[in-house]
Amino acid sequence: MKINNPNGVWPTMITLYKESGEIDFDAMGRMVEWFIQNKVDGLFAVCQSSEMFFLSLEERVKLAAFVVEKAAGRVPVIASGHTADSIEDQVREVTAMSETGVEAVILISNRLADEDESDEVWKVNAQKLIEQLPEHIALGIYECPFPYKRLLTPSTLKWCADTGRFFFLKDTSCDVEMIKEKLEVIKGTSLKLFNANTATLLETLKLGVDGYSGVMANFHPDLYAWLLQHWKEQPEEAQHLSDLLSVASFIERQLYPINAKYYQMKEGISSNYHSRARNHDEFTATNKLEVDELYRLSKKLSQQFSFQR
């Protein structure tokens, strides 16, 4: 099995809403165009940033299909939306998502075992799920922090790679040594590792990670694209940019994803920053000022690091 799974920047897309609370597909279309113009390599269309736990299965499927349609083959699209507890419901979710045209359906690592259960339980449940899925469905894994973060051990990741079904890992360990161990066990397989953490990104690029898939690509994807394209031949500039991006990523500790929606309002993509996962009324004037300042900094950096592919 082969899929279109390029190295590079894969934003974890947010979901934009109308004032009524429905998904704003016009705004989502503008977002897809904005990402492609800013040199991303793929799109992670339904994930925690997308508020997938607050979307119905019908909405998740419709959203993924829409992003696939709008991307129109210019960049590949993957999606998750795998949120149910039972294996039977997960089979239904994954199968429905696969029919949207996404390159791969990304499994949530914490959905396959409870927090106190062992890796052996995880593998047994993963095997049960895989056996009930059509063989053509390509898979990935996302170490989603909600409802609890389950990091895959290197041995469990090797098991996944050896099945031949997994092609994408969104790693949220934020740990250089752990990522190094994971890279060792998947070497020579079809499974690629994408780091979600900015502070460890440059160091792990040197170790061989395949790209970045994190929330900050919703703010300045072009800067991550530049970093991933030029870190080898321009090491000093790459280190400088990495330092700035790492400090900028502190904004994630603010009211995310509302702050990303506000940032995209400034880009002309959305008309509001409503959310189902967070209360937009808690987004303060100071929060807005901080994002305004990040926006100005991002634009200056975009001019400084003019992107050439």
Side-chain angles (χ1 to χ4, degrees):
M1 183 188 300
K2 290 186 178 181
I3 69 169
N4 183 15
N5 184 26
N7 295 358
V9 180
W10 289 71
T12 52
M13 295 179 68
I14 56 178
T15 300
L16 303 175
Y17 303 103
K18 299 177 182 178
E19 296 285 345
S20 63
E22 299 173 284
I23 297 174
D24 188 340
F25 285 100
D26 288 339
M28 294 303 300
R30 290 190 290 272
M31 188 196 301
V32 170
E33 295 302 321
W34 180 72
F35 277 130
I36 293 174
Q37 290 168 12
N38 281 279
K39 312 297 184 183
V40 305
D41 299 277
L43 294 169
F44 194 163
V46 180
C47 53
Q48 187 180 7
S49 288
S50 314
E51 305 176 48
M52 64 182 177
F53 290 96
F54 299 85
L55 302 174
S56 67
L57 178 57
E58 181 182 2
E59 287 177 315
R60 282 176 259 150
V61 167
K62 188 176 180 180
L63 183 58
F66 177 84
V67 175
V68 170
E69 178 186 356
K70 286 298 179 181
R74 292 173 291 173
V75 295
V77 180
I78 58 175
S80 184
H82 160 258
T83 63
D85 293 324
S86 73
I87 296 296
E88 292 73 20
D89 287 339
Q90 291 178 28
V91 170
R92 182 169 59 92
E93 289 177 326
V94 174
T95 302
M97 190 59 74
S98 74
E99 293 170 354
T100 63
V102 295
E103 289 288 330
V105 182
I106 311 302
L107 306 183
I108 302 302
S109 59
N110 60 44
R111 298 292 78 206
L112 293 167
D114 291 335
E115 191 167 4
D116 59 350
E117 291 182 317
S118 68
D119 286 355
E120 290 308 311
V121 171
W122 192 96
K123 286 185 278 189
V124 168
N125 289 334
Q127 184 66 40
K128 286 180 183 177
L129 176 62
I130 293 170
E131 288 175 351
Q132 295 182 58
L133 295 173
E135 292 185 2
H136 70 272
I137 299 179
L139 301 172
I141 312 165
Y142 168 25
E143 296 173 334
C144 180
F146 181 85
Y148 82 94
K149 182 186 281 194
R150 188 180 190 99
L151 299 176
L152 297 191
T153 61
S155 62
T156 301
L157 188 61
K158 185 179 187 305
W159 179 90
C160 293
D162 289 345
T163 68
R165 296 292 296 273
F166 291 89
F167 296 85
F168 189 103
L169 170 66
K170 175 175 158 61
D171 182 284
T172 66
S173 68
C174 310
D175 185 316
V176 173
E177 286 305 311
M178 183 177 288
I179 289 174
K180 184 177 181 180
E181 292 179 30
K182 289 179 177 179
L183 289 170
E184 284 295 321
V185 301
I186 64 175
K187 188 180 295 182
T189 74
S190 299
L191 181 54
K192 293 187 175 184
L193 191 155
F194 294 81
N195 191 349
N197 176 250
T198 303
T200 58
L201 179 58
L202 182 56
E203 190 62 30
T204 57
L205 285 170
K206 297 172 184 176
L207 295 174
V209 300
D210 298 290
Y212 173 74
S213 182
V215 304
M216 291 307 297
N218 285 299
F219 294 84
H220 32 225
D222 60 320
L223 298 179
Y224 284 90
W226 190 97
L227 181 65
L228 267 64
Q229 287 290 316
H230 296 286
W231 68 269
K232 285 184 180 179
E233 68 268 21
Q234 298 187 49
E236 291 185 10
E237 293 87 347
Q239 185 64 65
H240 176 58
L241 178 58
S242 175
D243 292 344
L244 291 168
L245 289 176
S246 294
V247 173
S249 71
F250 293 171
I251 203 83
E252 182 185 348
R253 301 175 187 178
Q254 215 202 50
L255 202 64
Y256 181 81
I258 288 174
N259 51 10
K261 296 171 190 256
Y262 177 70
Y263 190 101
Q264 293 197 11
M265 280 180 65
K266 298 181 72 64
E267 291 283 359
I269 296 169
S270 181
S271 62
N272 67 72
Y273 46 84
H274 289 188
S275 168
R276 296 184 188 176
R278 309 292 292 271
N279 181 0
H280 68 272
D281 290 330
E282 295 176 4
F283 194 56
T284 67
T286 300
N287 292 152
K288 291 178 183 178
L289 181 60
E290 291 167 348
V291 177
D292 291 341
E293 291 169 349
L294 176 62
Y295 183 80
R296 287 196 296 272
L297 174 63
S298 298
K299 293 307 173 187
K300 288 181 180 178
L301 290 173
S302 294
Q303 293 174 354
Q304 180 179 349
F305 295 90
S306 57
F307 192 93
Q308 295 179 351
R309 214 186 255 277

